[in-house]
Amino acid sequence: MTAAGFNFIADTARVVALYPQGMPNGWSQNSWNNGTLLASTANDLGFFHALIDEAITEYNVNPARVYITGFSMGSIMSYHMACEMNNRVAAIGCMAGTMPTSDISNCNPDYATPVIHLHGTADGTVPYNGSALPSLSLVPETMNFWKNVHSCDATADSLRLPDTANDNITVDRFRYDNCDPNGSVELWRFNGADHIYLYQPVNDITEMIEVWLFLRRWEHSDPMTLGVASNKENDLVISPNPSKGLFELELPASSDFTVHTLDGTQVLSGTFEAGKQQIDLNKQPEGMYLLTIGAKAYKLIKQ
């Protein structure tokens, strides 16, 4: 992905480009914990919250302009984040990966996330149409979901792009009519393309350029500024934090917990009883860790 063209965009468009990598799943494939049968078990949502927090606090990133894009498994994760981190993601660009069926069934976004989807009709890895993979939708189902979110018409403004490359692929762009807001749902259909990333001059377009031209138009209307809890909530006290390795907690109720590094590696897990508890990270290296208790993630900083 670092070679896919976004670095050049970042150098000229004042973009901070981050390239996270998923952890191995049960088949030793790099994956994301995105609600599919090939998902990993890493605490990826906590990781992405921490990653966005750091970009905001360390690099002055605008929290209303956080965009997610990816190819294949990364595209599937982009859809998952548009659902599970809906108050953080301004728009998504999805290449060759459709929406998990679990998200189609359960996603009810408060913020209507603008979506651009790019996909080959001959994709043999993530099918465009026909027989869907278990736990994944097809492209029409994915687009219908977001058309409904944005109250788009069934019709679209279609455009066949100039066929300048000798690649046996043609590109059709569909911009759906009367969406709210206008232009917020696009499908780019690559006729005859397999599970590939298109780039010039080999192909008619460079996908990253088209994705960025779409993403840059959108700004989240009500973004969460910081996502990982700062340990100041009334329901949990952690001290000291930062710590040399031993963290004291006071919990109002019993709960399961895990502690992960920012790359998703689990270092501790168990069950806390209500009252005072300890987390011992003395044997772990210095850095930031994510403590997950119930549905919340908290920063632990070891110095």
Side-chain angles (χ1 to χ4, degrees):
M1 293 306 293
T2 59
F6 219 104
N7 277 359
F8 301 106
I9 295 169
D11 286 343
T12 58
R14 299 184 69 200
V15 178
V16 176
L18 306 177
Y19 299 94
Q21 174 68 297
M23 297 295 291
N25 61 13
W27 294 268
S28 299
Q29 303 165 319
N30 287 84
S31 182
W32 295 109
N33 193 349
N34 56 15
T36 67
L37 294 178
L38 293 179
S40 73
T41 59
N43 180 17
D44 285 330
L45 293 178
F47 164 68
F48 274 105
H49 275 301
L51 193 66
I52 295 170
D53 283 352
E54 181 142 339
I56 292 171
T57 57
E58 298 296 327
Y59 302 106
N60 200 30
V61 163
N62 182 349
R65 290 189 173 275
V66 174
Y67 309 109
I68 308 296
T69 184
F71 182 88
S72 191
M73 186 63 77
S75 174
I76 298 165
M77 186 62 183
S78 298
Y79 280 120
H80 190 59
M81 292 176 67
C83 292
E84 296 296 325
M85 296 174 58
N86 183 248
N87 56 358
R88 306 215 75 176
V89 179
I92 58 174
C94 299
M95 299 172 283
T98 52
M99 196 168 174
T101 53
S102 59
D103 283 337
I104 285 184
S105 299
N106 300 312
C107 183
N108 186 24
D110 293 324
Y111 166 76
T113 312
V115 173
I116 182 173
H117 187 99
L118 307 94
H119 211 119
T121 59
D123 194 321
T125 303
V126 180
Y128 183 99
N129 213 340
S131 299
L133 295 177
S135 74
L136 273 181
S137 65
L138 296 167
V139 172
E141 296 166 345
T142 294
M143 300 313 297
N144 284 338
F145 176 89
W146 290 103
K147 284 159 57 180
N148 288 335
V149 168
H150 289 268
S151 301
C152 305
D153 290 349
T155 58
D157 173 19
S158 61
L159 174 69
R160 170 65 59 88
L161 272 67
D163 186 16
T164 57
N166 185 25
D167 59 356
N168 296 315
I169 297 170
T170 57
V171 178
D172 292 326
R173 186 205 69 193
F174 300 91
R175 183 173 292 162
Y176 288 93
D177 294 335
N178 296 320
C179 298
D180 185 16
N182 283 329
S184 52
V185 181
E186 290 189 15
L187 168 64
W188 290 59
R189 185 179 67 193
F190 304 152
N191 304 299
D194 200 343
H195 196 65
I196 60 172
Y197 171 85
L198 271 57
Y199 62 96
Q200 297 167 306
V202 176
N203 309 109
D204 297 327
I205 66 166
T206 297
E207 290 190 53
M208 276 298 186
I209 292 176
E210 304 303 335
V211 166
W212 172 243
L213 291 176
F214 177 86
L215 295 180
R216 71 177 186 176
R217 293 161 46 201
W218 307 107
E219 186 168 335
H220 200 298
S221 57
D222 186 25
M224 178 187 290
T225 302
L226 293 176
V228 177
S230 62
N231 309 332
K232 295 180 181 179
E233 288 81 0
N234 294 329
D235 61 343
L236 178 63
V237 176
I238 303 176
S239 64
N241 192 16
S243 165
K244 296 293 185 182
L246 197 63
F247 298 82
E248 302 282 348
L249 286 70
E250 188 168 345
L251 291 92
S254 300
S255 180
D256 294 335
F257 77 93
T258 59
V259 178
H260 290 78
T261 62
L262 288 188
D263 68 5
T265 302
Q266 181 175 296
V267 296
L268 287 175
S269 66
T271 300
F272 282 139
E273 299 297 331
K276 293 184 178 180
Q277 301 290 339
Q278 286 187 338
I279 290 179
D280 188 350
L281 296 181
N282 279 310
K283 294 183 180 180
Q284 303 299 327
E286 295 180 355
M288 183 185 295
Y289 294 82
L290 294 177
L291 165 65
T292 302
I293 300 177
K296 291 187 177 180
Y298 301 87
K299 297 177 186 176
L300 299 177
I301 301 175
K302 181 184 176 184
Q303 294 182 334

